[in-house]
Amino acid sequence: TAELEMTDEDWSRPVVVMLHGTMAHNKMEIMTQLQSLLTDNEVNSLNINLSLGISQRKGMYDCSKPHTHLHEDAIKEIGLWVQWLKQQGATHLVLLGHSRGGNQTAWYAAEKDSEKLDKVILIAPATWNPEYAAKDYKERYGKDLAALLNKAETLVSQGKDDTQIKPVDFIYCKQTSASAKSIVSYYKADTRKHTPS
């Protein structure tokens, strides 16, 4: 889902493609306020809501639902929205991302750049460091991230990507359920998750 705000029907004007942060949504205050300000300044925008593996998802991710989404899924979804905008006739695109969405926006821009991508705007983009991730996980949940990541990586190496590990503490959700591939996606070392990289 997404919220399209067009100040007129002139697709030759820039369209700002907006992406929210971790497990959040396009109706969170920063995103709605930014879109409102863009509209007030006669700038077209598309405020997208990542599916996170759930059709027509709304609001914050429901921690009671099993996690099957990947950090990299956002790059694909941005691409689909960019393709849709091009089909509508958009000729100038600006990507804007907040927090984890800032990282995913930068990742998309670095790997999928197109002739119609004019600018990239990152608001408090996510940084990532494996040592910090392990420390944060230990402080937040009192558990060793390395053991969980090793278990998930073993399942993925055995072709059991979709195996749900539960109960598990995952991102912001305590005692939830997450697939092995989701855990690997969000916690494995990958310099692309560090936006300055």
Side-chain angles (χ1 to χ4, degrees):
T1 59
E3 296 292 326
L4 177 66
E5 289 288 339
M6 296 288 287
T7 59
D8 57 41
E9 293 302 314
D10 184 2
W11 286 101
S12 68
R13 297 178 61 194
V15 179
V16 179
V17 181
M18 306 169 61
L19 183 62
H20 58 78
T22 307
M23 295 192 341
H25 54 94
N26 65 348
K27 297 288 189 183
M28 59 189 300
E29 186 175 4
I30 186 172
M31 303 310 289
T32 58
Q33 289 298 316
L34 280 170
Q35 189 166 40
S36 178
L37 290 168
L38 288 169
T39 302
D40 289 348
N41 286 279
E42 299 183 352
V43 177
N44 300 327
S45 61
L46 180 71
N47 187 2
I48 66 177
N49 199 61
L50 294 176
S51 69
L52 300 178
I54 298 171
S55 181
Q56 303 294 314
R57 186 184 70 84
K58 296 185 184 346
M60 294 298 287
Y61 192 91
D62 181 355
C63 288
S64 69
K65 298 206 178 292
H67 297 266
T68 59
H69 52 92
L70 309 178
H71 177 84
E72 307 83 45
D73 288 345
I75 289 89
K76 294 175 193 167
E77 287 192 42
I78 293 168
L80 291 171
W81 284 112
V82 165
Q83 181 181 13
W84 181 81
L85 285 168
K86 289 177 182 178
Q87 290 168 351
Q88 306 315 302
T91 57
H92 297 284
L93 300 178
V94 175
L95 300 185
L96 178 150
H98 172 247
S99 191
R100 183 182 297 272
N103 171 261
Q104 293 159 325
T105 295
W107 189 337
Y108 175 87
E111 293 189 359
K112 310 290 185 186
D113 198 6
S114 76
E115 71 283 353
K116 292 187 180 177
L117 186 59
D118 293 350
K119 296 183 188 323
V120 177
I121 302 167
L122 308 178
I123 302 169
T127 57
W128 192 83
N129 172 291
E131 291 79 23
Y132 177 80
K135 180 177 177 265
D136 181 62
Y137 193 86
K138 182 75 167 178
E139 288 173 359
R140 183 182 298 258
Y141 297 117
K143 297 175 185 168
D144 181 20
L145 177 59
L148 172 62
L149 185 55
N150 183 53
K151 179 178 181 178
E153 287 178 324
T154 298
L155 287 166
V156 168
S157 72
Q158 296 170 347
K160 299 176 182 176
D161 300 29
D162 296 324
T163 300
Q164 289 288 313
I165 297 174
K166 57 185 174 182
V168 66
D169 299 315
F170 181 69
I171 309 177
Y172 300 142
C173 296
K174 290 183 179 180
Q175 300 296 285
T176 188
S177 176
S179 70
K181 67 181 176 184
S182 293
I183 292 167
V184 171
S185 172
Y186 282 94
Y187 290 117
K188 74 175 178 182
D190 187 333
T191 58
R192 295 174 296 182
K193 288 189 280 190
H194 183 63
T195 307
S197 295

